[in-house]
Amino acid sequence: MEKEKGVLFVVFGATGNLTKKKLIPGIYNLVKRKGIKKFKILGIARRPSSGHKIAMSGKKHIDGKIDSSAFSNVLANTHYVQMDFSESIDYVKLQQRIQKYESDGFANKVFYLATGSDKFEVISSNLKKIGVTKEKKCWTRVVYEKPFGKNLKSAKKLNACIHKIFDEKQIYRIDHYLGKELVENVLVLRFTNRVLEPVWNKYHVESISVVLDENVGIGERGAYYDSYGAVLDMVQNHMLQLLSLVTMEMPESFSGDFIQNKKAELLKNVRITKTLVGQYKGYTSESGIPKNSKTETFAAHLLKIKNPRWNGVPIYFRTGKFLGKKESKIVINFKPVKCLFDKTCPSNGNSLEIRLFPNPGIELILNSKSPGKQAARNIKMDFCYDCEYGPNTPEGYENLFKDILLGNQTTFTREDELFNSWKIVDKVSRGKLHKYSKKSTGPKALEKFNKNSGVRLA
Ligand code: BG6
C-alpha cells in the first residue's frame, strides 16, 4: 500500500497579520478536526523569526478552548526560513529545505503567497527556477491572496505571468469570504428551497443590500491599506463575490466549474452607478499613512444588474473601517403586498437576512396578525447557526484549506470572475472624500445617499 503523502505548506509573508490571525488558526482547526494528519508548515519572511514564534503568534487568535494535542502538533511542525523574496540567491536555501521535506515524505505542496500582489510574480518565477512547481508523483498548488492586482490591466498581466508557471488547475485565488459557512450556504438556501427560488427575481424582490461594516481600523497594515483602500480591499473581491452568489442563475450542479461559470456570467452585467467614499478622522496620523492621503476607508455604492432577472432592482453596498459596530450581512427585501385590511396595512414587505456576523444565521421577516386587532405586524423567524451546530463550526480559512487539499476550486475565484470584477471597480468614480468620526455610522452625507438609494435599510 502507498504510504500517505504529507503536505508541506510554504507560507510567504509568515510574520504578517494574516498568518497569525487566520492561517495558523485555520491550519490548527483543520488539524483539530483531523482534516489533515501529516503536514509541515514552513514560514518565510524577511524579518528574523522562528517556527515557534510563528505558531505562538497564531495561538492568540484561536477561538475557544485550545485543544493542546492539536496545537502541540502545529507547534512541533512549524518551521521558518528567513529570506528576501526578491533575491534569487536566497531561493537556494528554500530549495534545499523543500528537497529535504520531499525526501521525508512531504511531497505535496501548497505555496501560500500571503503577500501583496506586487510580490506574486517574483516569488512564482523563482519557485519555478528552483524546480519546485512541477507535479512529479505529487501535487503542487499555489494560493494567491487578494487583491489579485490593482486594476484590470495589472491583474491580466500578473495572471499571464503566473500562467507561464502554473496551470489554472494549480491556482487558487483566495477570497476568505467564500469559505464562510453562511456564504457557502447561500446557494443551498436559494436552490434547494422551492419557497425561495420562484420569488428570487425583479418581480418579487424590491432591493438587495450587502453590508460589511467593521469597528476596527487598519491596524499594522498601513502601507498595504493606503495603496488599496476600501474599494479594492473589500468591494472588488468580498462584496462582488457575495453579490454574485446571491444573484447568479442556477448552476447545473454544485460541483466543478458550474458555479464559477454562472458567477462570471453574472459579473459581466453588474455596474456601479453611484459611489460615496469617506475616510475616518485620524486615519492620516496612523503609522505608515502619508499626511495627505486621500485613500478611502469607507465606501457605499449603488449598483444595478442588467439582465432579465434583475433589471431595475436597486442594489446597495456599504463597507467601512472604524464604524460603530462590526456587522456583515446580506439582505433581500421583498416587495410589499396589496393591502387587504380596511385601515392598517403591513408597512413593509418580507425580508430575508443572511447574517455572517455577529450571531451567524438566517432571519426571515414575515407579516402576521396582531393579536386582538385587524392589523398585521412583523414577526421574525430566526435560524441561529451556532445554536444548531455549536459555536465551533469551521471558520473560513479552515474550509478553504480543506478545499485546497481536496483540489476543489469551486470556492476560489477563477480568472474570468476576477477580470469581470476588476472591470466593475475600475469604473468607480470616487468623487469627494467625506470625513467621518470613529465609531460613527459613517459620513454625514450617507443619510442622503441612503434615502435616495431606493433600498430599504434597517
Ligand atoms: C480582509 C480585508 O480581506 O477582510 C480586511 O483585507 C478586513 O481589511 C477583513 O478587515 C474582514 O474580514 P472578516 O472575515 O473579519 O469580516
Side-chain angles (χ1 to χ4, degrees):
M1 210 174 81
E2 200 197 351
K3 265 206 349 221
E4 186 195 327
K5 276 205 183 78
V7 179
L8 171 64
F9 294 95
V10 182
V11 180
F12 289 86
T15 52
N17 247 342
L18 186 73
T19 305
K20 64 180 173 207
K21 286 194 175 157
K22 306 282 191 184
L23 306 188
I24 295 291
I27 295 177
Y28 156 84
N29 280 326
L30 201 58
V31 173
K32 189 178 79 177
R33 265 186 261 269
K34 314 259 181 280
I36 184 167
K37 292 192 193 107
K38 207 173 156 197
F39 69 96
K40 292 273 175 205
I41 303 170
L42 184 61
I44 299 181
R46 212 187 328 195
R47 279 185 247 167
S49 189
S50 66
H52 186 87
K53 276 193 192 150
I54 302 286
M56 290 310 284
S57 66
K59 190 177 183 187
K60 295 184 202 122
H61 299 276
I62 293 172
D63 287 338
K65 194 171 167 284
I66 296 199
D67 174 327
S68 53
S69 130
F71 187 74
S72 311
N73 197 356
V74 172
L75 189 62
N77 287 298
T78 305
H79 308 279
Y80 186 72
V81 170
Q82 183 183 0
M83 61 175 263
D84 186 337
F85 306 154
S86 318
E87 284 297 335
S88 294
I89 189 81
D90 281 10
Y91 283 81
V92 176
K93 269 195 276 188
L94 179 62
Q95 182 187 35
Q96 286 160 356
R97 290 293 282 266
I98 292 178
Q99 280 168 353
K100 166 89 177 73
Y101 289 128
E102 275 177 340
S103 59
D104 291 346
F106 298 87
N108 290 331
K109 290 176 271 308
V110 177
F111 292 107
Y112 198 117
L113 276 59
T115 66
S117 63
D118 53 332
K119 298 283 184 304
F120 291 173
E121 194 171 338
V122 70
I123 296 174
S124 308
S125 43
N126 274 299
L127 290 176
K128 184 178 179 183
K129 273 190 211 146
I130 58 168
V132 295
T133 55
K134 291 194 208 103
E135 299 189 290
K136 279 180 295 178
K137 295 196 192 146
C138 65
W139 51 253
T140 304
R141 297 177 185 147
V142 58
V143 186
Y144 294 104
E145 253 307 324
K146 49 123 297 234
F148 189 97
K150 270 196 120 171
N151 48 35
L152 179 63
K153 198 171 161 213
S154 59
K156 280 195 162 167
K157 185 169 168 274
L158 190 54
N159 202 52
C161 158
I162 63 169
H163 266 157
K164 290 191 194 126
I165 300 160
F166 296 103
D167 188 74
E168 181 69 17
K169 285 278 161 257
Q170 295 176 279
I171 299 172
Y172 291 72
R173 297 177 199 83
I174 205 162
D175 180 324
H176 77 278
Y177 266 69
L178 295 182
K180 291 184 189 260
E181 278 293 323
L182 261 293
V183 175
E184 293 202 346
N185 206 353
V186 169
L187 296 186
V188 178
L189 186 71
R190 282 188 60 190
F191 296 118
T192 65
N193 290 301
R194 198 169 274 276
V195 292
L196 291 179
E197 180 49 21
V199 293
W200 211 265
N201 53 54
K202 66 183 176 194
Y203 301 109
H204 301 280
V205 172
E206 183 186 72
S207 62
I208 298 173
S209 62
V210 178
V211 168
L212 301 185
D213 286 350
E214 295 189 83
N215 56 357
V216 291
I218 51 163
E220 301 148 22
R221 303 157 75 219
Y224 154 79
Y225 195 86
D226 198 61
S227 61
Y228 286 84
V231 177
L232 307 195
D233 185 48
M234 299 293 279
V235 179
Q236 183 272 332
N237 32 78
H238 304 325
M239 301 187 89
L240 286 172
Q241 282 292 328
L242 295 183
L243 181 68
S244 65
L245 288 170
V246 169
T247 56
M248 64 182 240
E249 295 300 315
M250 187 189 279
E252 281 86 338
S253 144
F254 283 156
S255 58
D257 275 348
F258 296 118
I259 294 177
Q260 287 156 321
N261 291 346
K262 296 296 179 192
K263 284 200 292 167
E265 190 182 306
L266 183 281
L267 288 168
K268 255 195 235 161
N269 298 315
V270 176
R271 304 281 177 275
I272 293 183
T273 56
K274 233 174 146 191
T275 295
L276 176 86
V277 290
Q279 187 186 75
Y280 64 80
K281 293 180 188 160
Y283 171 75
T284 51
S285 312
E286 302 256 20
S287 124
I289 308 297
K291 289 278 166 272
N292 58 353
S293 169
K294 295 278 178 282
T295 299
E296 78 284 350
T297 61
F298 174 97
H301 298 292
L302 283 185
L303 303 92
K304 61 182 180 195
I305 301 175
K306 290 181 80 177
N307 73 10
R309 185 186 284 267
W310 297 112
N311 267 334
V313 177
I315 298 162
Y316 176 90
F317 275 10
R318 187 180 71 222
T319 184
K321 298 276 184 206
F322 255 135
L323 298 172
K325 56 180 179 185
K326 177 162 170 79
E327 194 177 24
S328 321
K329 62 182 183 184
I330 305 163
V331 182
I332 320 296
N333 288 317
F334 292 89
K335 294 183 176 174
V337 292
K338 188 171 163 242
C339 180
L340 298 174
F341 287 104
D342 285 344
K343 291 186 197 128
T344 329
C345 284
S347 53
N348 283 332
N350 308 128
S351 70
L352 179 79
E353 178 175 310
I354 302 166
R355 215 172 38 239
L356 315 181
F357 188 90
N359 312 321
I362 300 165
E363 180 181 297
L364 179 64
I365 304 286
L366 297 173
N367 287 305
S368 161
K369 188 181 163 303
S370 295
K373 290 185 196 157
Q374 278 305 303
R377 61 183 282 265
N378 284 162
I379 53 155
K380 195 197 291 184
M381 295 177 77
D382 204 343
F383 163 61
C384 153
Y385 204 86
D386 290 353
C387 311
E388 182 75 19
Y389 301 116
N392 287 322
T393 47
E395 202 248 344
Y397 276 92
E398 176 187 346
N399 280 337
L400 296 175
F401 275 127
K402 203 188 302 164
D403 286 340
I404 295 164
L405 299 181
L406 292 171
N408 173 19
Q409 292 180 305
T410 317
T411 43
F412 293 81
T413 310
R414 210 173 54 189
E415 54 189 340
D416 48 353
E417 296 176 64
L418 173 81
F419 297 153
N420 291 348
S421 55
W422 275 122
K423 276 183 203 157
I424 300 165
V425 302
D426 272 2
K427 294 204 185 96
V428 168
S429 144
R430 286 174 176 68
K432 183 177 168 195
L433 184 70
H434 299 261
K435 294 278 181 178
Y436 61 96
S437 304
K438 285 183 187 170
K439 303 286 167 199
S440 69
T441 50
K444 292 228 164 58
L446 183 66
E447 206 178 309
K448 192 164 164 211
F449 184 92
N450 287 351
K451 221 165 161 188
N452 296 336
S453 66
V455 176
R456 206 185 333 143
L457 296 161

